[in-house]
Amino acid sequence: IAIIGGGITGLSAAFHLSRRFPAAQITLVNKDIHFGGWVHSGRAKITLKDGRETSVLLEAGPRTLRPNSKSVLELINLLDLSPSLLTVQNSSPAARNRFLRLPGTQGLLRIPSSPFSLLISGLSPKSSSLHSPLGYILLSAVAREPFRPWNRPLMIEDESVDEFLSRRFGSEFARIFGSAIAHGIYAADSRELSVRAAFPSLWDAEQRGRGSLVTGFLRPSRVSATAKVDDPPYELGDVNEQMRGISMYSFSQGIGALVDTLLRELRTRRNVRLLGGVSATGLRMNPRTTQFEVRITTSSCETLRTTHTVSAVPLPSLKGLLSPKTPLPHLTANPYSSVTVVNLVFLTSPGHALHPVGFGYLVPRASSEHAENAILGCVFDSASMSAQEAPWNADIVKMTAMLRKPVTSIPHLVEMLSEQLGVRLPDPLIVKVHDNAHCIPLLRVGHLQRMQELSDVLQGEPWSGKLEVIGAGVGGVSVGDCVEAGRRAGRSW
């Protein structure tokens, strides 16, 4: 078995395939020396005011995970990662307090996190300190939605997130809340993002509620149509119990601990070979032997001959490996978003808060009278994962800004953050800039239908189901989605 791509999807596939087929030789080829794709965790040294040296953990990619992915919880159990778990309770301010930054308003606006806070913030008069523009918009839209008639256009099988939310909740709700969540997860424009691919539960809830999203969520959902009856049960141990009442989690050494532990485990397996810094340059099916031939850039220009292959690289990269005689459809249908991630570390005086207590904030799409902001959002790392640092690092404040384009001036970025936070930020002690080019696929409208057509082609000649194409460009983009895709790889072999 050949696996092309050593991101989290490819590593998960190698792990599960090596368990399922212990007699098979598995070779994973990764063009970078670094495995794990966009997961990058590392420590930076820092000197405190009293002269002591310490370090802070910085993440260039995902920084926290939600406990809703059983495939990741299974890895935590199987890899014995429980001792390094760091969790955030649902009741924690870091879990409850999330903010938006709206142009034309002062500072950040807290998103109501409970029915009570929604009612108070939405019904209080504008002159009251309890009033919130977000609460008013949210309450008005949600209260009216059940009384809107079924308005899904006939014969459509998908639409954009913006179109869907505009139909059910109104254009202002869609622009503010829909664009913000699309920025936070996909760094994408909600007017292009497929609602069925990105947020399938919304589409399904509208169906259950016979047109009403609110009614649909109040009704019990049926078993997912994507669930396979022959899927083996997840081996969760007591990890599932550990996650009760937990909003999010990470590890003492960051999300990179998951990748590092996976790599250590794979390197102990005799039937797994990991090739880092080695590119695949071609992939073809030999019609005479019905074997795959994977050309790779070793010193001897080696060709791997395998009976089965898993592609876990971006779909446009796979297109470049295939012969024009055996093309696959829709590999370049979706563009990829680029995100610049900037880690900022500040020293602050006791009692001088640089941000409100909470997880962070997102910046929605601007209205017609305001210019688009370069900042997509900002995470308050110190609030959610302070346990990753030594106890005496209390004066250190970490935050991570996500931008839609490369940063040109750090002082200007700090000035923009100061204006959005309503607090004058000091000069940062540490700045780490990561230009993550083409890192998140934008799943355009019609994505599910296109992926079904791709799957149908892979079942036919010459592939006969022996080539599996998986990863963020096929399914969801979260760490959990990618780990689950790897877990399912080769299930029909």
Side-chain angles (χ1 to χ4, degrees), residues 60-112:
R63 59 207 59 250
T64 56
L65 303 174
R66 289 202 172 272
N68 56 356
S69 170
K70 290 186 177 180
S71 56
V72 180
L73 301 186
E74 180 180 55
L75 282 184
I76 292 172
N77 175 50
L78 295 175
L79 298 173
D80 195 25
L81 278 166
S82 292
S84 65
L85 272 175
L86 300 176
T87 58
V88 177
Q89 297 283 338
N90 286 326
S91 57
S92 165
R96 290 187 291 105
N97 298 340
R98 294 164 188 263
F99 304 87
L100 294 183
R101 163 64 182 180
L102 299 185
T105 60
Q106 293 293 319
L108 305 179
L109 298 175
R110 181 173 174 267
I111 303 172

Side-chain angles (χ1 to χ4, degrees), residues 266-330:
L266 289 171
R267 285 174 176 140
T268 67
R269 301 196 174 183
R270 294 182 179 181
N271 66 328
V272 176
R273 181 167 65 138
L274 301 176
L275 299 179
V278 174
S279 295
T281 59
L283 171 64
R284 67 183 288 265
M285 173 70 83
N286 188 318
R288 289 178 297 177
T289 64
T290 65
Q291 283 191 328
F292 289 99
E293 295 180 352
V294 183
R295 295 193 305 275
I296 59 176
T297 57
T298 58
S299 56
S300 58
C301 295
E302 183 180 349
T303 297
L304 303 176
R305 290 177 173 83
T306 67
T307 58
H308 298 79
T309 296
V310 175
S311 172
V313 294
L315 297 187
S317 300
L318 174 59
K319 180 180 173 65
L321 301 180
L322 297 173
S323 165
K325 296 179 181 179
T326 54
L328 290 173
H330 309 308

Side-chain angles (χ1 to χ4, degrees), residues 189-212:
D189 190 332
S190 60
R191 293 169 293 188
E192 296 186 62
L193 189 63
S194 159
V195 69
R196 290 197 70 187
F199 306 107
S201 62
L202 299 182
W203 185 272
D204 295 342
E206 184 189 32
Q207 195 77 28
R208 284 197 311 276
R210 299 177 181 178
S212 168

Side-chain angles (χ1 to χ4, degrees), residues 38 55 70 129 214 233 250 291 341 346 416:
W38 300 108
S55 67
K70 290 186 177 180
S129 61
V214 173
S250 182
Q291 283 191 328
V341 176
F346 304 93
M416 286 195 295

Side-chain angles (χ1 to χ4, degrees), residues 187 337-341 376 402-404 434-440:
S337 300
S338 298
V339 182
T340 295
V341 176
L376 296 168
M402 282 74 69
L403 289 79
R404 63 178 77 240
H434 315 272
D435 290 321
N436 298 336
H438 311 299
C439 59
I440 307 175

